[in-house]
Amino acid sequence: MAERLPAQALPSWRRAVLKVGSNLLAADGGGLTPRHARAIATFIGDSHAQGRQVVLVSSGAVAAGRALLRERAMPGDDLAARQALAALGQAPMIALWQALSPRPVAQVLLTHDDLRHRRRYLNARATLRELLLLDVLPVVNENDTVAVDELKLGDNDNLAAIVAALVDADLLLIASDIDALYDADPRRVAAAAAVPHVPLLTPEVMAMAGGSGSAVGTGGMHTKLEAAVKAGAAGVPTVLFDGRNTDTVAALAAGQLHGTLFDAPRSRMQARKYWLRHAPAAPGSILVDDGAARALAGGRASLLPGGIVNADGEFHRGDMVEIVDVTRRPVARGLCQYGAAEVRRLAGKHSSAIDAVLGYSYGAEIVHRDDLVVLAEIFS
């Protein structure tokens, strides 16, 4: 169906989250097939060659698990059965992507709790950031084997949107078995028209989703629009395209989209900085010397332990903390990688000494520049 859609420029991006649905990976006879995954893996490799980073959110584990048991009595459809199938299918799903990737593949399983608790959120964020620095392809999925129904993320469309915000992605790519958003269900309405561009996700646009879903997955068009809303709130635009069409997938590497583009209401940086500026701060602060204050005010530096004089009050790893200069003027604020007691022990030390001082390390930065917003200019 891609011929119905005009080519449009893909938004500029350096880091993207790519979600691949079950229908693209499940073989007709069960199990997983590289039929459509091969072109997607080529796109990931081409993007990497262009200096870009991709985090893959892949469905398919339950379908793979079900196929492995096709010679036996199938389990029921309760939560425990689905969790067992997911556990069984994770290995072949990861093996599929590793077979198609020239780079190492790392499995990252997340739960709702990982994303709502600050310390675990920060740990997941740090792990994914480190994997990208190591030139590894992270393959993310929900940890179905330990999730409970009331806390399940539910579908990988919404998980992908959350991961896009988690890793500060510039773009969310959703590979589906439909080539675009339509103003009616194209499988039922012959005159349904594709919608190439959605500047704003209004209730009228959401109503276009109808109730269509996937035969082997948990998502439908509605969850894709929900994902676009979540990603847009984090300043991340979303694109929907047909992952079965090799020409459509190949065009992405050339910056051309044959699908639907969902704009974000504001840029990723605007959304991130707005949240960092206005999120409630912990009852405490980090006192820095003049050199660190000037470096932070430039907007491109992380806060390292060597520039810290002291830490006041009590705060914990993952808390929003205010950073002040020696006159107690607020300079910046951000998510702290260490608690107040740890910061006091590290004050004035070199980053290389963190492990020796604490016996462990959460990274060289006390506050990473991606998790920091400048509040004041420091003049010479």
Side-chain angles (χ1 to χ4, degrees), residues 17-353:
V17 171
L18 169 58
K19 184 265 178 176
V20 180
S22 295
N23 275 357
L24 301 183
L25 301 178
D28 293 337
L32 301 180
T33 172
R35 178 183 176 190
H36 302 308
R38 187 173 289 110
I40 292 170
T42 298
F43 161 71
I44 295 173
D46 290 345
S47 298
H48 173 253
Q50 297 167 1
R52 293 171 169 151
Q53 298 174 330
V54 177
V55 176
L56 182 62
V57 175
S58 178
S59 301
V62 172
R66 186 175 288 114
L68 289 174
L69 292 179
R70 60 176 174 261
E71 301 299 328
R72 307 181 185 185
M74 291 301 296
D77 195 37
D78 59 10
L79 177 61
R82 295 197 306 273
Q83 289 175 324
L85 290 174
L88 188 61
Q90 286 292 341
M93 188 266 287
I94 291 295
L96 170 68
W97 289 114
Q98 183 62 83
L100 298 173
S101 173
R103 291 182 291 152
V105 168
Q107 183 183 49
V108 180
L109 297 176
L110 298 175
T111 67
H112 187 284
D113 280 346
D114 295 325
L115 301 172
R116 68 176 184 148
H117 291 150
R118 284 177 299 185
R119 290 183 63 184
R120 291 165 71 171
Y121 179 96
L122 207 58
N123 285 340
R125 178 179 169 85
T127 297
L128 286 165
R129 180 185 289 155
E130 189 66 22
L131 288 171
L132 292 172
L133 288 174
L134 291 171
D135 199 26
V136 168
L137 173 62
V139 179
V140 180
N141 208 341
E142 182 167 9
N143 195 349
D144 291 305
T145 58
V146 298
V148 295
D149 257 338
E150 61 269 23
L151 289 181
K152 279 180 64 64
L153 294 162
D155 65 85
N156 277 347
D157 293 319
N158 279 285
L159 173 61
I162 294 169
V163 172
L166 181 70
V167 301
D168 291 327
D170 306 300
L171 185 64
L172 171 61
L173 298 145
I174 298 180
S176 183
D177 58 352
I178 190 168
D179 59 347
L181 172 67
Y182 282 77
D183 59 6
D185 189 340
R187 294 170 296 189
R188 296 184 175 92
V189 181
V195 182
H197 183 212
V198 179
L200 186 65
L201 276 155
T202 63
E204 291 75 20
V205 172
M206 296 297 293
M208 294 179 188
S212 58
S214 161
V216 296
T218 57
M221 185 57 69
H222 187 72
T223 65
K224 290 167 178 56
L225 297 190
E226 287 180 340
V229 170
K230 286 185 174 69
V236 182
T238 298
V239 298
L240 172 66
F241 63 95
D242 187 355
R244 304 166 304 175
N245 189 313
T246 55
D247 291 337
T248 294
V249 176
L252 293 172
Q256 296 293 311
L257 168 66
H258 296 266
T260 298
L261 167 63
F262 301 91
D263 288 342
R266 53 189 168 199
S267 74
R268 177 182 63 83
M269 188 60 68
Q270 287 172 329
R272 179 74 174 162
K273 294 300 184 185
Y274 181 89
W275 178 77
L276 288 169
R277 186 177 294 273
H278 296 286
S285 60
I286 299 175
L287 179 67
V288 298
D289 60 28
D290 287 341
R294 290 177 187 277
L296 293 175
R300 296 184 179 180
S302 298
L303 176 59
L304 303 177
I308 295 175
V309 177
N310 200 2
D312 296 328
E314 293 302 324
F315 51 85
H316 303 284
R317 169 169 160 79
D319 280 350
M320 182 69 68
V321 179
E322 195 167 77
I323 303 166
V324 300
D325 65 12
V326 291
T327 68
R328 300 287 171 173
R329 176 174 55 164
V331 175
R333 68 201 313 261
L335 297 176
C336 196
Q337 289 267 63
Y338 295 87
E342 295 165 319
V343 172
R344 285 190 281 269
R345 292 176 63 188
L346 295 173
K349 303 289 196 304
H350 194 277
S351 294
S352 61

